[in-house]
Amino acid sequence: MENEELVQVKTESLPVELEELYQQIRKMYIIQYQCFDWANDTSDNGMGYDYDNSYEVFREPERREMIIQNDKLVGFYIGFSDDIQLENKATEKYLLKLENGAKIYQGTSSTRYGNSKTWVLHIKEEAEQLENVCLFWVEAEDREHTFTPEEFDCKYIDSVLGKCKWENSNGYFDGAFRVTLKLTKEGTENPDAVLQELQKYRPILVKA
């Protein structure tokens, strides 16, 4: 943040001092993320959308979400996209303030469609590393597929906690799941190694 406005800085890796800061941040803050993405539209001769891919996770902040001012964390950048162009004076729109319960809502809804996102910041009373990982896109041919730790080829997985099917526009199984895994003690102590090994599934560390 410069002069109370956000400025994006692209880098392959964080400077050592910011990496050390992030390792503390990921233990102290949780972002509650709610995504409502649904439709129930049968008004146009049965051709309307009818699906529900809504979900909620309590996840750790990501490195790319840190907002730094004078070498200190001042909040988190919300709505990240690699190609987004920040609007002038758009700080309030994207800044999740460093306050317990700070909230940002973006979206629209109607009686037939819902498309919204909500971010809420929670500050932990004691530092802790998250013990679970959510994989946002795991492909499978069978809608009744039962996942096992072994099929992810990752030494840090203890067990499978749950799964949820993605739906296509007609409400049918779309060939993929969200899957939540419990990490081993070694995995909990090496979160970046976990994310690296599972990167093809779009992983994020979460609370169960």
Side-chain angles (χ1 to χ4, degrees):
M1 183 182 291
E2 298 178 2
N3 299 321
E4 303 308 316
E5 292 189 16
L6 300 183
V7 178
Q8 287 179 308
V9 180
K10 294 186 177 182
T11 177
E12 291 298 323
S13 60
L14 293 179
V16 174
E17 62 274 14
L18 287 186
E19 179 61 34
E20 292 176 349
L21 175 62
Y22 175 70
Q23 294 302 329
Q24 293 302 313
I25 287 171
R26 73 191 317 177
K27 298 176 183 178
M28 292 302 302
Y29 300 95
I30 286 285
I31 295 178
Q32 178 185 359
Y33 177 66
Q34 296 173 310
C35 176
F36 291 98
D37 180 17
W38 61 272
N40 185 6
D41 182 6
T42 58
S43 62
D44 59 351
N45 298 319
M47 298 300 290
Y49 293 153
D50 184 7
Y51 69 91
D52 190 348
N53 285 322
S54 304
Y55 66 93
E56 177 182 51
V57 290
F58 290 76
R59 64 170 179 83
E60 72 169 8
E62 297 183 80
R63 288 174 176 82
R64 63 183 182 173
E65 293 176 317
M66 291 193 301
I67 298 177
I68 304 298
Q69 184 177 43
N70 299 325
D71 300 323
K72 294 183 179 180
L73 178 74
V74 294
F76 297 100
Y77 171 68
I78 292 309
F80 191 92
S81 173
D82 290 326
D83 58 359
I84 196 171
Q85 296 297 315
L86 284 177
E87 307 163 25
N88 291 333
K89 303 185 183 303
T91 299
E92 289 298 319
K93 180 178 180 180
Y94 296 105
L95 171 60
L96 186 62
K97 296 180 180 179
L98 210 63
E99 302 170 358
N100 196 35
K103 179 178 180 180
I104 290 180
Y105 169 85
Q106 297 177 357
T108 58
S109 62
S110 70
T111 57
R112 293 185 295 173
Y113 297 92
N115 192 327
S116 65
K117 300 175 181 179
T118 304
W119 295 262
V120 181
L121 184 68
H122 299 275
I123 302 176
K124 301 176 186 177
E125 294 184 1
E126 297 183 4
E128 63 172 346
Q129 185 63 58
L130 297 181
E131 300 178 347
N132 310 293
V133 61
C134 180
L135 311 181
F136 277 89
W137 190 263
V138 183
E139 295 182 357
E141 295 183 3
D142 182 4
R143 61 177 295 150
E144 304 301 331
H145 182 79
T146 299
F147 291 97
T148 64
E150 292 74 23
E151 64 192 283
F152 294 100
D153 192 27
C154 175
K155 63 183 179 181
Y156 300 115
I157 299 174
D158 177 78
S159 59
V160 178
L161 294 180
K163 65 179 182 180
C164 184
K165 295 186 288 287
W166 286 105
E167 295 183 351
N168 62 20
S169 60
N170 295 314
Y172 296 110
F173 177 52
D174 202 22
F177 294 83
R178 286 191 312 279
V179 181
T180 304
L181 307 172
K182 180 175 177 58
L183 302 177
T184 62
K185 184 175 184 298
E186 183 181 5
T188 301
E189 295 171 349
N190 296 277
D192 289 318
V194 172
L195 298 178
Q196 179 63 31
E197 287 202 15
L198 297 170
Q199 60 179 323
K200 69 178 180 180
Y201 303 113
R202 294 164 48 192
I204 191 77
L205 296 182
V206 298
K207 294 192 72 171

